[in-house]
Amino acid sequence: MVLPAVRHMDDTAQQLAIAADGDEPPSTTLRFDPLDATRSLDAASLRWIRAGVESIGEHLRLTGELRVRFVGDAEMSGAHAHHMNDPSTTDVITFDLAAGASAETHALDLDLLVCVDEARRHAPRETDRELLLYVLHGVLHALGEDDLTDDASRRMHAREDEVLRAIGVGAVFAPASLAPDAEPHDAR
């Protein structure tokens, strides 16, 4: 679910310009601002996630700004209670500051809260990959995807798998027979 605009994430987070590689002019520019509020992700993990976000931006031809705050259960459940009236933790909360325009233009103005603890529970051996999935999930919400019904959820998970395969990460949700490069993801 996409939530209405709220204040921007911490402006002190390192800002990175993400653009397509090659000799031709970049077709996309996505500014990515990650902030690890948990201080539990190492530099290699953040580099890998950053590279994945760069690839997602290129693949989806995204522009604009994407701010991601990696949080723990306490902060996530507090935000979930405040914004969704649900005190449980969750994987990602999407704040679309473009008020839905991203679905039309692929120009993001997006804040995401991404729960590191949730990722560690779902994929203890592949937490970085799970965090990248959560970022992609939030981006797809801003682009108009939803997962409120079983059919919509299947379509959204198929789209996530398509993007993750395209950028070389491999499918997360597809049955093993369809994605030999990845184990199937636990149903949520």
Side-chain angles (χ1 to χ4, degrees):
M1 174 172 280
V2 180
L3 297 173
V6 295
R7 66 174 167 51
H8 284 263
M9 300 288 169
D10 186 340
D11 290 329
T12 63
Q14 179 182 7
Q15 298 179 346
L16 301 172
I18 298 174
D21 291 331
D23 295 331
E24 61 190 54
S27 59
T28 62
T29 302
L30 178 66
R31 191 173 190 82
F32 175 55
D33 295 327
L35 175 65
D36 178 14
T38 68
R39 299 178 188 230
S40 67
L41 300 173
D42 62 27
S45 292
L46 290 170
R47 277 192 306 273
W48 189 88
I49 293 166
R50 182 178 298 125
V53 170
E54 289 176 10
S55 295
I56 289 168
E58 291 171 4
H59 180 75
L60 295 176
R61 301 182 58 82
L62 300 173
T63 62
E65 295 185 28
L66 170 60
R67 293 162 301 276
V68 177
R69 181 175 171 92
F70 294 101
V71 300
D73 280 335
E75 186 172 344
M76 182 58 90
S77 61
H80 203 208
H82 179 76
H83 296 288
M84 306 289 294
N85 201 28
D86 180 345
S88 67
T89 193
T90 190
D91 51 1
V92 61
I93 299 178
T94 303
F95 299 96
D96 184 3
L97 281 70
S102 299
E104 298 290 322
T105 65
H106 282 225
L108 302 179
D109 189 3
L110 188 60
D111 288 348
L112 299 178
L113 289 181
V114 173
C115 189
V116 175
D117 293 330
E118 188 76 5
R120 287 187 175 131
R121 279 190 293 277
H122 280 283
R125 291 178 299 218
E126 294 188 321
T127 301
D128 297 351
R129 188 171 178 220
E130 189 77 358
L131 291 169
L132 182 63
L133 169 67
Y134 295 174
V135 171
L136 173 58
H137 189 85
V139 166
L140 291 178
H141 273 307
L143 296 178
E145 300 279 344
D146 78 61
D147 55 355
L148 299 176
T149 67
D150 288 342
D151 285 342
S153 181
R154 278 191 290 278
R155 282 191 304 274
M156 189 169 189
H157 292 329
R159 180 70 170 135
E160 289 165 346
D161 279 349
E162 179 269 317
V163 171
L164 293 172
R165 275 193 300 268
I167 68 168
V169 172
V172 174
F173 290 100
S177 62
L178 297 177
D181 56 338
E183 294 179 14
H185 194 278
D186 294 335
R188 293 179 208 245

